[in-house]
Amino acid sequence: MTDAPDDSADSTQPAIDPAQAAADLERLLRATVERLDASGARDEALGEVRLPRGFGPFKTSVQIAPVGRAWRLGILLVTSDARLFRVGRITRATETGRPQSLSLSVEQRRAERVAATKGHFAEGEVVNFEYEAIALDPESLARGDGSLSIDGSRVVLAWNSPGDRRDLAAYLDEMFVLLFDS
C-alpha cells in the first residue's frame, strides 16, 4: 500500500475557479447594491484628504474633499457601482469652534471635522476617509492575501485576525438586516 497524499483534504486548493468566484462576487455585490438602493438605505460620503498647497502664509488648509458615496456595512463600504472598500476613518462635518488645548486625540478628531467642513460637505454629514480598496479580481481572490479570499466554494472576508474569516454573502445579508431592514 502506498501513502499517496490526499488532495481532497488540502484546503489550500480552491474548489472553485477564481474567475468563477470573481464573477459570483460581482453578482453578489450588484445584488447587494440593488437591495440597498431599493430599500432606500442611507448612504454616506466618501472623502479624500487633500494636503495644503501653496507656501508660507498663502497655504490652503487641509481638507477632506468629496469623491463619492457608499453604504457602510460594518467593516465594508459598498459603492453604487459595486466597488468594495474596507472602512478606514470616519468623521462628521461640523463646526467645531476653536481649539481648546485638550488631548492630542481630541484635537485630531476636531481637525478631521474641520477638514470635512472645509471640503464642503453638508453640516452633519458623515464622511468616510482613509478607506482601503479591496481587490475583486480572480488573481487577488486566489492569492487570498487581502480582505477577500476563496475558501472551498465561497468567498470569505478576513475579519479581525488572519484566521478569522466569514462567508461574505452571509456577512452582507446579516449587515443589511441589522442596519437597514425594519
Side-chain angles (χ1 to χ4, degrees):
M1 178 176 221
T2 60
D3 289 337
D6 182 12
D7 290 337
S8 64
D10 185 1
S11 63
T12 61
Q13 292 296 321
I16 188 171
D17 174 50
Q20 181 62 48
D24 292 347
L25 176 58
E26 184 176 349
R27 281 192 293 279
L28 171 65
L29 292 175
R30 295 214 180 273
T32 300
V33 166
E34 287 175 14
R35 187 176 181 190
L36 289 163
D37 195 38
S39 73
R42 181 182 56 83
D43 61 359
E44 297 177 354
L46 296 176
E48 179 180 275
V49 175
R50 303 267 168 88
L51 298 176
R53 295 182 316 226
F55 60 94
F58 304 107
K59 270 189 174 175
T60 61
S61 57
V62 174
Q63 64 177 279
I64 301 174
V67 294
R69 302 201 59 86
W71 291 279
R72 184 167 20 124
L73 298 169
I75 64 169
L76 299 176
L77 295 165
V78 181
T79 63
S80 61
D81 59 351
R83 290 180 298 144
L84 198 59
F85 299 92
R86 192 160 189 117
V87 170
R89 299 185 53 86
I90 303 165
T91 192
R92 190 175 291 273
T94 60
E95 290 297 327
T96 61
R98 59 183 180 80
Q100 299 177 14
S101 301
L102 299 173
S103 72
L104 185 59
S105 63
V106 169
E107 291 301 330
Q108 175 63 37
R109 288 191 303 273
R110 181 194 162 285
E112 291 168 352
R113 290 191 303 273
V114 168
T117 301
K118 289 183 182 289
H120 306 292
F121 290 97
E123 176 73 21
E125 178 82 54
V126 174
V127 180
N128 294 275
F129 65 103
E130 294 183 3
Y131 46 85
E132 177 186 331
I134 296 177
L136 307 175
D137 60 281
E139 296 78 20
S140 296
L141 292 174
R143 277 194 315 272
D145 55 0
S147 293
L148 299 179
S149 60
I150 300 171
D151 183 14
S153 63
R154 61 196 181 128
V155 175
V156 293
L157 170 66
W159 191 245
N160 295 325
S161 61
D164 192 9
R165 300 181 302 168
R166 300 214 28 217
D167 178 75
L168 180 63
Y171 175 81
L172 291 173
D173 187 53
E174 181 181 321
M175 285 295 109
F176 179 85
V177 170
L178 180 67
L179 298 171
F180 305 112
D181 210 6
S182 35

